[in-house]
Amino acid sequence: MPLSGICGADHATAAMLRGNWYEIDLDAIRHNYRQLRGQLPRHVKVYACLKRNAYGCGAGPVACALAKEDVDGFAVASVLDAVAIRQEGVSHPLLLYPGALPVAAPTIQSLDLTVSVSSVDELEQWRATITRPRIFIKVDLGFFRAGATPFEACKLLARAAGFADVQVEGIYAHMSELPTTHTSNAKEQLDRMHAILREASVLGLRPAVVMMSSTEGVLNHPEMDFDAVDPGALFFGLPDSDRPTRPVMLRPALKTISASLVSVKRLDASLGPVPGIFGVNPGMTLGVIGMGWGDGFPRDVPRGAVGLIRGKRARLLPPAHLEHIRIDLTDVPDARFGDEVVLLGRQGNQSITHEEVATLWGTDIVGLYAQLRDHIPRIYAAMQTTKEIPHE
Ligand SMILES: *Cc1c(COP(=O)(O)O)cnc(C)c1O
């Protein structure tokens, strides 16, 4: 197969051999990047956040695709995602969010990664394990997660600046709000960042890169741009809000979830009485799909869940199994062993939307991407389409 030079090429073979796959549209991801870039002032750098294996879309191939655009760097939480990105030959600046441990220092050093530092203890442990560590100071502006408090931020900056071997490349925060917050405190978080930067400037310690905007910030708070932004969800077509201040037309990165029919049979009386399972009837044609709850599908098959086969919608039947799900093929008499079954996406003139799947699975669209499993092969479509399809 003439696949070399295409991002994620060998995944196609794995998809064929396994019989189920996710189809990822790398053009959509590049398009989404360009939509963002077009809205940002030129001096603002973009660090693409590709955590959780690029939201299930594959950190290596997604980084490879974005590297063909003028993206400035990447950020991930897992060293393994960083390894996948470097293995694609992508040499851009790569920031590790909190998640990496000193035991990974040799890998971090050899891959030339930048670590996040939220405390003096972290700073000392990285200094002890990495020669000339490159760091971003992480601050917590009111999200109550990792990061130094605003009170501690400049003390930490000063400690880091005191070490000649430490290169402080930037300071960043994850502007985000807890579900318990009733009114937005985005402004308070921005005020806290400004206060830290004022103090840092007085001390001559303001790093070259200040960053605090993820998808929500970059779409709705241009005043938070500073020197760089690190959205993630946005690249996959997940806008986070309905009417963003910055109008972007995003396209979904996940085109299809596909599986194959691994068994077809007509039920007959020799099986004994039909068990009291929802939807299994005597005389029906029963199919089995080679994908189950071990592959990210909900364990309780939601009522109303369907698969597309030979261009028709066919009911999925509970319960799901680790590797298999039943499907009612009674109305698809020409269905055959090996047929493709689409669980999300389009087949013929039928389609199952992201919204439909997210609702059935009891989650939202980011939650749907988070359900994508790393062991399912991904096929990378890059069709150079120019048509703009807004994400509903
Ligand atoms: C997840 C994350 C992001 C990206 O968030 P999105 O909402 O996906 O854009 C940015 N920065 C940090 C520190 C994160 O943890």
Side-chain angles (χ1 to χ4, degrees), residues 49 51 55 97 138 145 172 174 214-216 230-234 240:
C49 167
K51 65 187 182 187
Y55 297 67
Y97 292 146
K138 181 159 199 197
R145 217 170 63 173
Y172 80 108
H174 184 37
S214 55
T215 298
E216 158 68 13
D230 61 337
L234 179 148
D240 238 22

Side-chain angles (χ1 to χ4, degrees), residues 279 284-287 314-317 326-332:
M284 81 189 299
T285 304
L286 184 75
R315 291 184 309 149
L316 302 181
L317 305 171
R326 297 175 186 80
I327 184 167
D328 180 356
L329 297 176
T330 310
D331 297 330
V332 197

Side-chain angles (χ1 to χ4, degrees), residues 72-324:
D72 299 279
F74 297 97
V76 294
S78 162
V79 176
L80 294 181
D81 286 342
V83 169
I85 292 172
R86 288 293 189 243
Q87 275 173 350
E88 292 282 338
V90 173
S91 58
H92 288 53
L94 211 172
L95 169 65
L96 288 169
Y97 292 146
L101 296 171
V103 70
T107 304
I108 292 170
Q109 177 119 30
S110 69
L111 297 182
D112 197 17
L113 309 178
T114 300
V115 294
S116 294
V117 169
S118 299
S119 70
V120 173
D121 182 30
E122 289 175 30
L123 179 63
E124 282 170 353
Q125 292 203 42
W126 289 123
R127 281 192 71 227
T129 48
I130 298 176
T131 317
R132 295 184 58 74
R134 297 143 57 118
I135 70 166
F136 261 60
I137 298 286
K138 181 159 199 197
V139 293
D140 182 0
L141 300 175
F143 190 38
F144 296 85
R145 217 170 63 173
T149 66
F151 180 70
E152 296 289 341
C154 281
K155 292 180 203 166
L156 186 53
L157 272 176
R159 275 298 276 277
F163 295 125
D165 58 321
V166 175
Q167 305 170 62
V168 183
E169 296 181 335
I171 184 169
Y172 80 108
H174 184 37
M175 199 293 288
S176 196
E177 299 180 274
L178 292 168
T180 51
T181 316
H182 292 300
T183 56
S184 166
N185 75 346
K187 186 182 176 305
E188 280 86 343
Q189 295 197 37
L190 177 62
D191 290 347
R192 289 182 193 122
M193 183 59 112
H194 277 301
I196 292 168
L197 296 178
R198 268 195 305 275
E199 191 184 341
S201 294
V202 169
L203 299 168
L205 296 174
R206 187 197 189 280
V209 176
V210 176
M211 176 166 85
M212 69 180 283
S213 273
S214 55
T215 298
E216 158 68 13
V218 82
L219 290 183
N220 292 307
H221 299 282
E223 70 279 12
M224 293 180 183
D225 285 348
F226 292 101
D227 310 297
V229 295
D230 61 337
L234 179 148
F235 298 112
F236 305 94
L238 314 169
D240 238 22
S241 59
D242 292 339
R243 287 173 188 279
T245 307
R246 283 179 161 145
V248 285
M249 297 276 278
L250 302 178
R251 282 164 41 186
L254 176 64
K255 278 189 81 170
T256 58
I257 299 178
S258 286
S260 304
L261 209 51
V262 300
S263 170
V264 183
K265 71 165 164 280
R266 177 96 183 228
L267 300 185
D268 64 44
S270 66
L271 281 167
V274 172
I277 295 176
F278 167 67
V280 177
N281 303 310
M284 81 189 299
T285 304
L286 184 75
V288 177
I289 296 170
M291 197 180 223
W293 63 261
D295 304 310
F297 199 88
R299 192 160 184 170
D300 291 317
V301 175
R303 257 177 198 265
V306 296
L308 305 180
I309 177 160
R310 299 209 167 216
K312 290 188 181 145
R313 294 169 85 87
R315 291 184 309 149
L316 302 181
L317 305 171
H321 297 269
L322 195 64
E323 79 295 24
H324 287 151

